[in-house]
Every structure is written in structure tokens, then in C-alpha cells.
Amino acid sequence: MRTESRRRLLAAILPAVLIWPLGACGDETPAPGEDVTVEDVAEAELGEEDESGMAERVVTVEGQVLEILDPGAFLIGDPGVLEPSVLVLSRSADFSDQGLDVTDALVEDATTVEVTGTVRRLSLGEFQEDYEIPYDPQVFEEYAGESVIVAETIKASVDLE
């Protein structure tokens, strides 16, 4: 009977032991403290069920300023047509409280920024209610439902290439 019990126990445990390492494979969201990229944030699916683990997470990403949409909003990423980008939004009407003057010069000078902020799903109504900022819906409607970063701090440097 002892041998039979061991066989049953082994039969119950063996599949779990063999399958468990496979859980570490695939596209997982980096754990807090690990590197997070613009691509990680851009590809995060922040629907009703946040399978990415990115919603409301504080991250730090680095990317080049690609486009200015508003004094309080710009896109960052790696230059290139197919590269993902992420919308960075200010908690106020602009980024002056963080020492960043958001002008087209940031794009022209190939400015790289390091942004630390909270990842959110863009709902302009909620965002305007939370931060009382009157963003133009026509400018931002294409980003509705996308992952964005609400900036807490920004460090800028000019790319010298």
C-alpha cells in the first residue's frame, strides 16, 4: 500500500512540477524595480482586467521626444516609423513645475527624456476630472483607451549624435 500511495502522490505532483517552470516563459511584465521600456508601457492592455500588471504602476522609462501634442503632453519612444510610442501627460497644464519647457525644440534637438510616472489608461473625462485640465478631445481622441504615463518627474538631455 505504501508503494501505491507514493505512486499516486507522484502522479499528482509530477505534472505541476513539470509545468511550473513554463510559467516563467513568455511575455511577462517586469517586476517593480526592473527595467521597463516604452514598448512595455505601449503594449500594456489596460482594459477592465489588467493582465499586464501595469495599471497604476509607477515606472521609469527613457525615450526621445517624438511629437508635442500640447504644452502638457508629448509622445516619447525610439525614432522610427514602426517603433511604439507612449503619451506622457502632465498633472498640470504644462511641465513647467518640472523645469521642462515643452516646445518643438525638444523634437528638433532630439531630446531624450527619462520620465517617472504612473501608468494609466487614458480616459479624458476621468483625467480632466482628476487633474482639472481642459485637454482638447479632438487632439487626444486617437489615444483614448491607450496606456499613458502621468509624469511625476522628468529629466531631459539632448542627444549629441
Side-chain angles (χ1 to χ4, degrees), residues 15 32 37 44-45 63 70 74 95 98 106 112 116 119 128 157 159:
T37 65
E45 301 273 336
D70 187 89
F74 58 87
F95 293 97
Q98 297 178 27
L106 293 173
T112 299
T116 299
V119 177
Q128 290 177 359
S157 64
D159 191 359

Side-chain angles (χ1 to χ4, degrees), residues 1-12:
M1 185 86 166
R2 254 186 175 172
T3 303
E4 185 62 29
S5 295
R6 286 183 187 165
R7 285 184 185 157
R8 286 184 185 173
L9 181 60
L10 186 59

Side-chain angles (χ1 to χ4, degrees), residues 13-33:
I13 294 175
L14 190 58
V17 170
L18 293 175
I19 293 172
W20 174 72
L22 296 178
C25 298
D27 295 332
E28 288 188 17
T29 301

Side-chain angles (χ1 to χ4, degrees), residues 61-126:
V61 298
E62 185 174 285
Q64 187 173 325
V65 177
L66 302 174
E67 182 179 353
I68 307 298
L69 299 176
D70 187 89
F74 58 87
L75 291 172
I76 64 168
D78 290 324
V81 178
L82 300 176
E83 297 298 321
S85 60
V86 170
L87 182 61
V88 176
L89 296 169
S90 172
R91 293 177 179 270
S92 60
D94 58 30
F95 293 97
S96 61
D97 58 336
Q98 297 178 27
L100 184 65
D101 188 20
V102 176
T103 66
D104 288 332
L106 293 173
V107 177
E108 293 164 7
D109 294 342
T111 304
T112 299
V113 293
E114 180 182 273
V115 178
T116 299
T118 304
V119 177
R120 291 186 60 178
R121 181 175 179 263
L122 182 60
S123 169
L124 270 182
E126 288 177 21

Side-chain angles (χ1 to χ4, degrees), residues 34 42 139:
E34 290 185 19
V139 173

